Amino acid sequence: MADDVVARLSDVAGRPGAVEVIEALAESARSRTELCAAVPLPKRKLERVLRTLAAEGVLVRCDEPGTWDLRPERTARYALTALGEEVVAVMSDLDVWVSIYERYLDDRCAGGHRRIRRTWG
């Protein structure tokens, strides 16, 4: 398994709520209201996760073209990109999760601090 794939997924999986959002969108595109019901995060944190995953290229806001600087409508729908679907496929492999966990333990034992950075694309 390639280290770069594990490193990228480690960054995504390390963000609270990111895996849950990806899992919810794996089934189909959803509105923000539907995501709020599916993912146990406060609205502001959910919005932060959506913005981060969009910046990573994992998801898009379907119904509204333009900037993420404006607050989206409640009816705005979010969907996975091709990259997001690839992430879902890779994350469904147990070996990937074992590698991510081992990487996490190695970082903790080494005293490393996690930094959020753009890793996709």
Side-chain angles (χ1 to χ4, degrees):
M1 178 178 329
D3 284 339
D4 61 327
V5 172
V6 172
R8 289 177 173 181
L9 288 176
S10 294
D11 287 340
V12 171
R15 294 186 176 104
V19 172
E20 291 86 348
V21 168
I22 293 170
E23 181 181 15
L25 292 174
E27 298 169 11
S28 66
R30 293 180 182 241
S31 69
R32 191 176 65 176
T33 305
E34 292 169 331
L35 285 171
C36 281
V39 179
L41 286 176
K43 288 180 184 178
R44 287 186 185 189
K45 287 188 180 183
L46 176 62
E47 186 65 30
R48 192 175 310 138
V49 169
L50 292 172
R51 286 173 182 258
T52 301
L53 292 175
E56 295 280 350
V58 175
L59 64 83
V60 292
R61 194 168 60 205
C62 309
D63 301 344
E64 297 179 21
T67 180
W68 279 74
D69 293 335
L70 303 174
R71 188 176 187 102
E73 297 291 325
R74 290 183 182 177
T75 58
R77 297 190 68 75
Y78 301 88
L80 293 177
T81 61
L83 179 62
E85 291 173 3
E86 196 177 315
V87 169
V88 170
V90 173
M91 285 174 53
S92 65
D93 184 357
L94 180 60
D95 290 337
V96 170
W97 283 106
V98 169
S99 294
I100 289 171
Y101 187 67
E102 287 172 348
R103 182 182 173 94
Y104 168 76
L105 290 178
D106 289 346
D107 287 349
R108 280 192 67 171
C109 290
H113 297 284
R114 298 179 61 80
R115 286 183 28 215
I116 295 177
R117 64 186 186 283
R118 184 173 181 176
T119 56
W120 292 101

